[in-house]
């Protein structure tokens, strides 16, 4: 029979962690869900329960649909191209090459730079008059491509997407590199002996064995993209107009205006959206891993 001290020993580690989880995650989540059904704001001393009024306002205002569209467009393009570039870099750096460690470090450095700093850097790069990008285009004789990247509604969201692809591709690269290191070399050698070319080896050997790495990268990129905030805030602040408004800038804008109950309702909708999309893709990608 186990002594009381043996039984209590694990609780010494479990209880503090559980208390911190309840305090920092469960309590804010539950209280936030409650306040989304109230008129909680900076303009009233009392908090009244108003039912689904905040959600009704959200779904009847065009700005929510605009933010959903922009968030989903951003997530789709960032997820696709971050994984394409990350996989391409990993395949390139997996080969023996001079300065391989230097290139890995160089490609990964953008990941560790804070999104706010990246936003300020690219604000300078995209500047219509003094930005490096437009100066380069003009010096190359491509004046017609030198546009106002952040204040023209035709290019603003595209510019934000390109910024995030540059910042996040290195993270995907590291995960794909780890997956490539786990592929047995004798399988690749056997494929070469059987006459398989580079594309055939990639399609039939490498990519199927990278399924776990692809699942991790895809899900992390989707979730991170749907939560985009700092980069958009610094580069465009949701503008021009609402052309680059995303879910988190909508939430931030209403919190800063004191519409706390309304903003909390928008945050809860974002939580549901991320959860549904993540679970949907997780089921598909897990099934793909099993089938392979």
């Amino acid at each position: 029979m186990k002594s009381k001290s043996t039984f209590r020993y694990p609780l010494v580690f479990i209880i503090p962690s559980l208390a911190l989880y309840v305090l920092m995650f469960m309590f804010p989540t539950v209280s936030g869900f409650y306040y989304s059904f109230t008129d909680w704001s900076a303009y009233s001393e009392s908090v009244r329960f108003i039912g689904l009024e905040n959600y009704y306002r959200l779904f009847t205002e065009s700005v929510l649909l605009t933010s959903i569209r922009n968030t989903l467009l951003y997530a789709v393009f960032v997820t696709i191209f971050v994984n394409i570039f990350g996989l391409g870099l990993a395949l390139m750096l997996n080969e023996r090459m001079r300065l391989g460690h230097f290139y890995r470090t160089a490609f990964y450095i953008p990941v560790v730079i804070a999104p706010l700093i990246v936003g300020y850097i690219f604000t300078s790069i995209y500047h219509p008059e003094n930005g490096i990008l437009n100066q380069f285009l003009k010096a190359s004789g491509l004046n017609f491509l030198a546009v106002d990247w952040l204040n023209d509604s035709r290019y603003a969201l595209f510019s934000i997407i390109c910024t995030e692809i540059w910042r996040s591709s290195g993270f995907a690269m590291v995960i794909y590199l780890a997956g490539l290191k786990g592929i047995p070399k004798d399988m690749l050698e056997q494929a070469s002996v059987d006459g398989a070319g580079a594309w055939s080896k990639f399609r039939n050997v490498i990519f199927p064995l990278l399924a776990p790495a692809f699942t991790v990268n895809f899900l992390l990129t989707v979730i991170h993209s749907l939560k985009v905030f700092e980069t958009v805030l610094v580069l465009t602040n949701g503008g021009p107009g609402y052309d680059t408004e995303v879910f988190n800038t909508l939430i931030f804008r209403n919190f800063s205006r004191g519409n706390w109950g309304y903003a909390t309702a928008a945050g809860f909708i974002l939580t549901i959206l991320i959860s549904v999309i993540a679970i949907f893709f997780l089921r598909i990608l897990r099934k793909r891993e099993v089938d392979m």
Side-chain angles (χ1 to χ4, degrees):
M1 184 176 179
K2 294 183 178 180
S3 64
K4 290 185 178 181
S5 60
T6 304
F7 175 76
R8 291 174 181 172
Y9 181 74
L11 298 180
V12 174
F13 299 96
I14 294 173
I15 291 177
S17 301
L18 184 61
L20 190 63
Y21 176 77
V22 170
L23 179 65
M24 303 300 294
F25 180 77
M26 291 301 300
F27 176 74
T29 301
V30 174
S31 60
F33 178 69
Y34 167 75
Y35 281 117
S36 70
F37 296 100
T38 68
D39 63 349
W40 184 36
S41 72
Y43 313 107
S44 175
E45 294 182 359
S46 60
V47 177
R48 294 186 303 109
F49 184 82
I50 58 174
L52 297 173
E53 186 176 325
N54 286 327
Y55 294 94
Y56 178 77
R57 283 177 57 200
L58 274 167
F59 283 102
T60 54
E61 293 179 357
S62 60
V63 66
L64 176 68
L65 297 178
T66 301
S67 66
I68 290 175
R69 183 199 65 192
N70 290 337
T71 302
L72 292 178
L73 278 174
Y74 176 91
V76 167
F77 284 102
V78 167
T79 300
I80 291 173
F81 286 100
V82 161
N83 280 279
I84 289 175
F85 286 120
L87 180 56
L89 291 172
L91 290 170
M92 179 182 69
L93 295 176
N94 192 49
E95 302 294 329
R96 291 186 177 275
M97 58 186 304
R98 294 182 61 188
L99 301 178
H101 293 293
F102 168 78
Y103 290 128
R104 293 180 193 181
T105 304
F107 290 133
Y108 189 76
I109 282 177
V111 179
V112 301
I113 302 176
L116 283 173
I117 304 301
V118 171
Y120 286 119
I121 292 172
F122 275 84
T123 298
S124 299
I125 292 174
Y126 288 137
H127 192 279
E129 299 298 330
N130 303 318
I132 297 173
L133 178 58
N134 278 354
Q135 288 187 354
F136 173 78
L137 292 172
K138 291 174 182 178
S140 303
L142 301 173
N143 297 55
F144 66 96
L145 292 178
V147 298
D148 193 347
W149 296 99
L150 298 178
N151 295 308
D152 191 322
S153 59
R154 294 172 296 176
Y155 309 110
L157 187 60
F158 169 77
S159 303
I160 297 170
I161 290 171
C162 291
T163 303
E164 184 59 28
I165 291 171
W166 175 83
R167 195 183 77 87
S168 298
S169 294
F171 182 80
M173 174 198 73
V174 169
I175 296 178
Y176 282 127
L177 267 173
L180 288 170
K181 296 300 182 183
I183 297 177
K185 292 184 179 181
D186 57 344
M187 294 185 68
L188 298 175
E189 293 172 358
Q190 183 62 45
S192 299
V193 171
D194 292 340
W199 170 248
S200 181
K201 283 193 292 185
F202 172 78
R203 186 183 62 182
N204 298 310
V205 180
I206 296 175
F207 192 66
L209 294 176
L210 279 178
F214 180 78
T215 298
V216 171
N217 262 330
F218 190 92
L219 286 175
L220 289 179
T221 311
V222 165
I223 294 171
H224 178 75
S225 300
L226 291 171
K227 297 193 298 180
V228 60
F229 174 59
E230 297 99 328
T231 307
V232 177
L233 182 69
V234 174
L235 288 175
T236 64
N237 195 25
Y242 291 107
D243 288 328
T244 59
E245 185 87 318
V246 292
F247 243 115
N248 273 324
T249 55
L250 171 66
I251 295 168
F252 175 77
R253 196 183 307 280
N254 281 282
F255 257 113
S256 62
R257 291 173 180 171
N259 301 320
W260 300 329
Y262 182 87
T264 305
F268 188 67
I269 292 173
L270 176 60
T271 302
I272 294 174
L273 179 66
I274 292 174
S275 300
V276 170
I277 292 175
I279 292 171
F280 173 75
F281 281 115
L282 179 61
R283 291 175 64 89
I284 291 176
L285 294 172
R286 285 297 188 191
K287 185 176 183 300
R288 172 178 172 269
E289 288 183 31
V290 173
D291 292 342
M292 286 185 172

